[in-house]
Amino acid sequence: GYVSVQIGKTKRIYTAESPQRIRLMHEKRLGQFNAMIPWLESMRSAPQPLPGVRFFETRRELETWYLQKLEEYGGRSYSIIGNQKDWQKLNQGFLERVYKVLKEKRIKVKLLFSADSPEPAKSYYEGGERTIKYLPKGYEFRTTIDIFNEEILLVAPELRAVGVLISIPAMRDVFDALFRMLWDGKRVKS
C-alpha cells in the first residue's frame, strides 16, 4: 500500500503513494480495529468454560490416570458397566495394582458385566468390596463405562483413543441413572 506498481511490456514503474492516502488507509484499518476492541475485551475477561472432555491416547496414560484417581478416591464407591474380557487384555500388573488400591483405600465397586464376560480372577475378590451382576445374554459390548461421583470414563480398547473422560455433570447423571436402573433389575452372581 505504500507503493503503486505499473507493469509495462518491458518494465515496471514503481511510484510512491501520497502520504495523505497512506494516512487514510491506516485510519481506516485503525477504525476497524477500534470497533473490535469491546468484543476482544469481553473475550479476554470472560471466564472460558472447560470443555469437560479429556482423551487418553495410550494405555499407559489411561493406567496412570486411573491409579491416581483411585488413590484419591478412598472410602467412596463407583460403578462400572463393562466387559471383563477387555480388562483381562490389559496389563496384568496394572490390574493387580488396581485391586491393591481398591482394597487399601476401601473403595466399593458395583460391576455390571455384559453376558459374555468371564468370571474375574480370584484375586479380584480378595479383601475387596466388589459386587458383580451380569446382563442377560444378547447384551454384549466392547466399551467399559466407569461412573465416578464427578465424571465418567469411557474405555474402548479397540479404538485409536483408548479412553475418554467426561466431566460434565449432566452427562454423568444420565449414566448414573442408567446404571442404577440396570443394576436394580439384575441378580447378584453367586
Side-chain angles (χ1 to χ4, degrees):
Y2 293 98
V3 176
S4 63
V5 180
Q6 293 179 341
I7 302 175
K9 290 184 181 184
T10 59
K11 60 182 175 178
R12 293 182 185 184
I13 301 173
Y14 296 90
T15 309
E17 289 290 349
S18 76
Q20 291 296 339
R21 181 174 164 97
I22 293 172
R23 183 183 57 80
L24 290 173
M25 178 183 67
H26 282 291
E27 285 176 355
K28 182 179 176 184
R29 285 185 185 163
L30 184 59
Q32 291 170 338
F33 179 76
N34 285 335
M36 288 178 51
I37 287 176
W39 178 78
L40 292 170
E41 286 293 336
S42 70
M43 293 299 292
R44 187 176 72 93
S45 62
Q48 297 299 313
L50 297 175
V53 178
R54 176 180 174 185
F55 293 93
F56 298 102
E57 298 291 333
T58 67
R59 288 185 183 196
R60 183 177 181 95
E61 181 184 11
L62 175 64
E63 290 173 2
T64 301
W65 178 88
Y66 203 89
L67 288 169
Q68 182 179 355
K69 177 70 173 181
L70 293 180
E71 286 288 339
E72 299 167 357
Y73 214 69
R76 295 192 270 175
S77 63
Y78 71 105
S79 308
I80 298 174
I81 303 173
N83 185 316
Q84 181 65 7
K85 279 196 259 185
D86 290 335
W87 284 100
Q88 288 177 343
K89 290 179 186 177
L90 293 176
N91 175 341
Q92 286 304 310
F94 165 68
L95 288 179
E96 292 302 322
R97 287 190 310 257
V98 167
Y99 302 158
K100 181 180 176 188
V101 173
L102 289 174
K103 180 181 175 183
E104 288 174 356
K105 298 295 182 176
R106 302 181 56 94
I107 299 170
K108 296 178 183 176
V109 184
K110 290 182 179 178
L111 296 119
L112 188 57
F113 283 141
S114 65
D116 62 331
S117 292
E119 185 73 21
K122 189 175 182 177
S123 62
Y124 186 76
Y125 294 102
E126 294 173 356
E129 299 182 49
R130 292 175 281 287
T131 309
I132 299 174
K133 293 184 180 183
Y134 288 83
L135 292 170
K137 289 186 181 190
Y139 295 94
E140 299 169 359
F141 45 84
R142 308 288 304 161
T143 302
T144 298
I145 305 167
D146 291 42
I147 306 165
F148 295 97
N149 287 349
E150 306 83 20
E151 55 216 351
I152 57 176
L153 174 68
L154 304 171
V155 180
E158 304 300 322
L159 299 178
R160 183 174 169 264
V162 174
V164 178
L165 180 68
I166 302 173
S167 302
I168 301 171
M171 290 186 74
R172 187 258 169 224
D173 292 345
V174 167
F175 279 92
D176 183 56
L178 176 65
F179 177 86
R180 286 184 286 115
M181 179 185 70
L182 293 170
W183 181 261
D184 291 343
K186 298 292 131 224
R187 65 178 176 80
V188 175
K189 177 85 174 190
S190 29

